[in-house]
Amino acid sequence: MVSLRFPTAAIPRLPPTHAPNGVAIATTVATAAAAAAAAAASLTLTAKSAGRPSPHPAPLWTSLSLADGAAPGSVKPRTGATFPTEAAAGHRLLGVGLRKTSVLGLKSIDVYAFGVYADGNDLKQQLKEKYSKFSASELEENAELINDTLERDIRMTVRLQIVYGRLSIRSVRSAFEKSVGSRFQKFGGQDTKELLQSFVALFKDEYKLPKGSVIELSRESNHVLKICIEGEEVGSIESKLLCQSLLDLYIGDDPFDKNAKDDIHENIASILKS
């Protein structure tokens, strides 16, 4: 059974902050690092997995390390989109990425930037006991950790910020219908047509998505998916399959952005070991 809800609460948006510029090239990196440390405690923008080889180079803007007590701030991908290090309800930023698509297989278009957040306490309560015997490096290589994150009742949010100025809500509806529908099949869902249509129907034609618009997709307690567009809650659906399928697009086996998924995995491991 699909449970639909239509409250009206709005989610506040945090203003971005900017790290100061240095004077000389030789001191810029050190100055920026010190400023970031002062402004965001243990938020660090570093090369991914320092001290051990990485299978692919990760852009600086997607490499994050978040420990307990990180102060509010922002991360800016190359698209110019900004993401607070803490979202509503205290959810903490785990990684940022970019959703791309191609036109006729020739031209690549940046559609939206995204940030994935999670409740640190939920991660620890749901996962720490099972994974306490593993080291941080072992957790970073453990695929089952991501599977459990998808499966368990952990509050998470995917924040989308539109970067393609000509994106229509109809395109968003069509894209989610295709991608989420394929995940329903992956997780063995049956008779899911009504559930899928209930989800995509929340993206109504009345909503406009100019560049910079924000969509938030949040898994609340008891596997309730809440959808907000520009701070307005447009509806919610109680379905474990829907929550799992949607999050799989960003942190599953075949994610929209592999670098972002790796950063998210690394930061989940870091939270569990903190």
Side-chain angles (χ1 to χ4, degrees):
M1 178 179 294
V2 178
S3 176
L4 296 178
R5 309 176 184 182
F6 297 92
T8 59
I11 295 179
R13 298 174 63 185
L14 298 179
T17 59
H18 302 277
N21 295 324
V23 177
I25 294 177
T27 61
T28 297
V29 174
T31 302
S42 54
L43 169 66
T44 57
L45 299 179
T46 61
K48 182 175 174 64
S49 305
R52 60 184 177 85
S54 175
H56 54 270
L60 181 61
W61 60 266
T62 62
S63 185
L64 297 168
S65 177
L66 297 171
D68 283 330
S74 65
V75 174
K76 179 181 290 188
R78 65 181 178 86
T79 59
T82 58
F83 295 88
T85 56
E86 289 188 2
H91 291 193
R92 296 161 53 184
L93 182 62
L94 301 177
V96 295
L98 188 62
R99 173 68 167 120
K100 297 183 178 182
T101 191
S102 60
V103 178
L104 301 177
L106 300 175
K107 182 179 179 181
S108 179
I109 295 176
D110 296 344
V111 182
Y112 59 79
F114 64 85
V116 176
Y117 296 78
D119 185 286
N121 291 329
D122 283 359
L123 285 170
K124 291 180 179 181
Q125 291 172 4
Q126 294 285 337
L127 302 174
K128 194 164 187 175
E129 182 178 356
K130 177 177 179 178
Y131 292 100
S132 60
K133 63 182 180 180
F134 296 95
S135 67
S137 60
E138 288 173 332
L139 287 177
E140 291 167 15
E141 302 298 329
N142 192 324
E144 191 174 353
L145 175 60
I146 291 295
N147 293 335
D148 282 335
T149 302
L150 289 169
E151 172 78 16
R152 302 289 183 89
D153 189 13
I154 298 169
R155 287 171 291 174
M156 299 183 70
T157 295
V158 182
R159 179 185 175 97
L160 318 179
Q161 185 164 333
I162 308 303
V163 297
Y164 181 56
R166 299 175 62 185
L167 185 67
S168 68
I169 196 73
R170 180 178 298 180
S171 297
V172 172
R173 213 169 36 232
S174 176
F176 274 136
E177 185 171 17
K178 180 179 179 180
S179 58
V180 174
S182 70
R183 266 37 178 208
F184 282 176
Q185 295 178 3
K186 171 183 175 180
F187 292 115
Q190 297 180 351
D191 299 325
T192 58
K193 184 176 181 179
E194 180 182 354
L195 174 60
L196 184 59
Q197 290 305 312
S198 297
F199 169 59
V200 299
L202 295 175
F203 297 89
K204 299 177 181 178
D205 289 337
E206 64 192 74
Y207 297 110
K208 307 303 178 184
L209 297 174
K211 185 175 181 179
S213 299
V214 172
I215 299 173
E216 289 187 326
L217 310 165
S218 301
R219 178 171 65 183
E220 303 291 300
S221 297
N222 299 316
H223 302 282
V224 173
L225 182 68
K226 182 176 67 176
I227 298 92
C228 295
I229 299 177
E230 283 294 273
E232 177 186 352
E233 185 175 337
V234 300
S236 59
I237 301 175
E238 183 177 355
S239 168
K240 182 177 180 179
L241 175 62
L242 177 59
C243 291
Q244 186 178 19
S245 298
L246 184 70
L247 290 169
D248 188 76
L249 300 174
Y250 303 93
I251 65 174
D253 296 334
D254 185 22
F256 288 151
D257 188 320
K258 180 64 165 56
N259 286 344
K261 184 263 181 79
D262 290 346
D263 287 329
I264 293 162
H265 191 160
E266 181 178 329
N267 282 304
I268 291 173
S270 177
I271 288 172
L272 294 182
K273 298 308 293 185
S274 63

